[in-house]
Amino acid sequence: MRYRLLLLISVLGICLLGCGKKEPGSDSLSEQDKGKEASFVCSRTVGDGFLTENFALYHNNHGRLQIFDAASKKDIVYCFDPGCEHKPARWSHTGELLSEGCISYEFSDMPVMLQGEKCYFLNDRGEVYVSDRQGENRRLLARIPGYIIIPDMVMFSQEYMFITYTNPYEMIPRKNEDGSDEWIVGNIKDMETCGIISVDLKNGAISELFHVEAYNARIAKADIRAGHLYFEYFYLDIPYVGPDLETYGPSGMVPEWLTVENYWDEMPKHQWMDLYDYDMQRSSLHTILSKKQSVTVVFGEAFFAVVEGDSQTDLYRYDGTRFRQLDFAVKISVRSDKGLVCDSTAEPGVYRLIDVDTGAVLKQAKVSIPYSVFNPSCIVGESCYGVASCSKGLGAGYLSADDFWNGRYENSVVFDVFTDD
């Protein structure tokens, strides 16, 4: 579990999994959250939460759904029953229900989003449900096509749910006796199917906006900005071969020119990525970059890419039609809905808020790495989320954006420690 959490932090910015958790059976969610829409929603792998300026909704280490309120700095179980003990349901060995469980466990490992008075979630059968804010009065909104096995990433905007997937298996369609469609998992393939599906949260309409088949195909990174879904598609032009020359898929062929000694020089030459811009309003997909190597995506107020050259790292800004080079090199980027927040290659641990038009430094914060009290991962509105420390160790934490920029890291609150306790 610890390895999984630390991996998610490094890849996605912050895994919302705290210290001194408050679990009052009589507490309910504050009224001030109701009706507020998420101004900035981070992409998350299946089962993990999302951030807004007002709250963080996430699963703890035991799969229970929790909500951290930024205004009160309280972390409570997502449950509205005053008498609930917040325990999971108990089942017999024969599958009989022995005792009802807390509703927070019904959402275990499900991607969940709050939007006003509604709650949206995706279960492990590929069914998208909408309910009231308490999780009751549920109705089926959509059903994901059966040829997708397990989604890789689930993201929410105010109007859509986006699901990325990778499937290395043959999927064989067949009809059930009642005439319904069913998909049977077949053999593993050399090439993987990779794509993105959108679900309209108003009417449940499903669209497959991206679908490809390639060697080692996957959606490596994605984010939602101002009505656009930006994503990075990664693939190989030869079958994948591991560093020890192990092979995958039915062909099992190792190129004659590839050896253990030259692996790290030769294999990267066959790794490629494309960048795409999907306009939600127009339902149109636009290619930003095609078949590029050594490109890393950076998300800021606008959409950025870090292009690694032979001797330096150059930062480019995408304005909808082209890239424009900026005079600033980036080492680490913090997700932000205001400007570009990053530390430079020259001064690691010194985070700057950069004006994306002028390149001017608007704010600056010095964070001691790697043993700081608080390391930022995402800034949304006046809230900053990141990795914080407390008496029990490191955990997902909260700090106001004002405290972060003014160095008051001791005001950080840890709402989930990275342990299995």
Side-chain angles (χ1 to χ4, degrees):
M1 175 66 73
R2 177 181 295 272
Y3 173 77
R4 182 179 74 87
L5 294 178
L6 294 178
L7 177 64
L8 285 173
I9 292 169
S10 63
V11 175
L12 296 176
I14 176 177
C15 178
L16 293 180
L17 293 175
C19 205
K21 197 181 264 38
K22 189 176 187 295
E23 301 178 2
S26 61
D27 276 2
S28 62
L29 304 179
S30 62
E31 290 294 326
Q32 65 181 356
D33 280 336
K34 294 185 177 182
K36 290 187 177 181
E37 294 183 337
S39 57
F40 180 74
V41 179
C42 290
S43 56
R44 286 286 166 263
T45 56
V46 173
D48 297 305
F50 74 96
L51 303 170
T52 75
E53 182 176 14
N54 305 306
F55 61 85
L57 188 66
Y58 70 100
H59 296 88
N60 71 2
N61 287 335
H62 302 285
R64 188 175 60 203
L65 189 64
Q66 303 270 148
I67 187 166
F68 172 79
D69 180 75
S72 64
K73 295 183 174 58
K74 289 183 179 181
D75 181 40
I76 64 175
V77 181
Y78 195 81
C79 175
F80 295 83
D81 183 357
C84 187
E85 296 181 355
H86 310 314
K87 301 292 184 182
R90 292 178 57 245
W91 301 82
S92 70
H93 293 295
T94 59
E96 296 176 339
L97 180 64
L98 300 178
S99 63
E100 295 282 350
C102 175
I103 192 173
S104 62
Y105 281 98
E106 292 187 42
F107 292 109
S108 179
D109 290 332
M110 294 182 188
V112 184
M113 184 187 80
L114 295 177
Q115 188 73 285
E117 293 295 331
K118 293 183 179 180
C119 177
Y120 299 90
F121 56 93
L122 170 71
N123 66 22
D124 57 5
R125 297 183 298 277
E127 297 168 334
V128 180
Y129 279 87
V130 58
S131 71
D132 58 28
R133 193 177 176 87
Q134 288 76 24
E136 305 292 346
N137 300 312
R138 305 176 187 180
R139 68 176 173 86
L140 180 64
L141 182 65
R143 184 174 282 110
I144 306 304
Y147 55 83
I148 296 171
I149 303 230
I150 300 175
D152 294 324
M153 188 188 306
V154 178
M155 299 163 290
F156 292 94
S157 70
Q158 293 181 0
E159 295 87 14
Y160 296 93
M161 174 190 291
F162 293 98
I163 302 167
T164 77
Y165 67 91
T166 302
N167 188 354
Y169 298 98
E170 292 180 323
M171 299 301 292
I172 305 168
R174 77 174 186 185
K175 289 286 186 181
N176 292 320
E177 293 183 358
D178 61 1
S180 61
D181 294 324
E182 183 180 14
W183 295 82
I184 306 301
V185 178
N187 297 323
I188 194 168
K189 303 181 300 181
D190 280 322
M191 290 189 175
E192 295 177 319
T193 301
C194 167
I196 302 180
I197 282 180
S198 69
V199 179
D200 192 314
L201 297 179
K202 298 187 296 296
N203 55 29
I206 292 178
S207 300
E208 190 158 28
L209 61 94
F210 185 74
H211 179 93
V212 294
E213 187 174 67
Y215 295 117
N216 209 44
R218 66 199 65 247
I219 305 300
K221 189 180 295 185
D223 209 352
I224 296 170
R225 301 283 169 158
H228 290 255
L229 170 66
Y230 299 105
F231 63 94
E232 173 186 351
Y233 160 54
F234 173 88
Y235 57 101
L236 302 176
D237 58 17
I238 61 172
Y240 177 75
V241 179
D244 296 328
L245 302 191
E246 66 271 26
T247 60
Y248 301 85
S251 66
M253 299 296 292
V254 178
E256 295 180 358
W257 46 263
L258 190 63
T259 66
V260 172
E261 290 74 22
N262 70 9
Y263 179 88
W264 295 109
D265 290 327
E266 296 299 322
M267 198 65 185
K269 297 177 182 178
H270 298 272
Q271 300 175 357
W272 304 95
M273 63 84 67
D274 298 343
L275 289 178
Y276 289 93
D277 169 8
Y278 177 73
D279 188 321
M280 301 180 199
Q281 299 301 318
R282 294 186 174 91
S283 299
S284 62
L285 187 64
H286 171 65
T287 303
I288 301 173
L289 291 177
S290 179
K291 203 167 185 180
K292 298 292 181 180
Q293 290 183 336
S294 300
V295 177
T296 302
V297 178
V298 178
F299 297 113
E301 183 181 17
F303 180 73
F304 298 84
V306 178
V307 182
E308 299 178 357
D310 294 333
S311 59
Q312 66 178 359
T313 301
D314 297 323
L315 179 66
Y316 292 80
R317 180 186 181 191
Y318 175 64
D319 62 7
T321 57
R322 64 186 177 86
F323 281 101
R324 179 169 60 84
Q325 185 173 355
L326 302 180
D327 187 21
F328 191 81
V330 171
K331 181 178 182 181
I332 298 175
S333 173
V334 177
R335 298 184 115 136
S336 173
D337 57 355
K338 296 180 180 178
L340 174 65
V341 179
C342 56
D343 72 346
S344 69
T345 54
E347 296 182 88
V350 179
Y351 289 88
R352 296 176 173 87
L353 175 62
I354 307 297
D355 185 299
V356 296
D357 293 317
T358 66
V361 178
L362 305 178
K363 295 180 181 179
Q364 180 171 299
K366 186 173 184 179
V367 177
S368 176
I369 294 178
Y371 302 110
S372 68
V373 177
F374 186 88
N375 286 319
S377 298
C378 173
I379 298 177
V380 46
E382 299 305 316
S383 295
C384 181
Y385 297 90
V387 179
S389 63
C390 67
S391 60
K392 294 184 180 180
L394 295 176
Y398 169 85
L399 185 66
S400 72
D402 183 67
D403 282 343
F404 170 71
W405 290 116
N406 287 284
R408 297 187 289 266
Y409 308 124
E410 68 279 3
N411 292 337
S412 63
V413 177
V414 176
F415 54 88
D416 204 359
V417 292
F418 298 147
T419 68
D420 291 329
D421 297 335

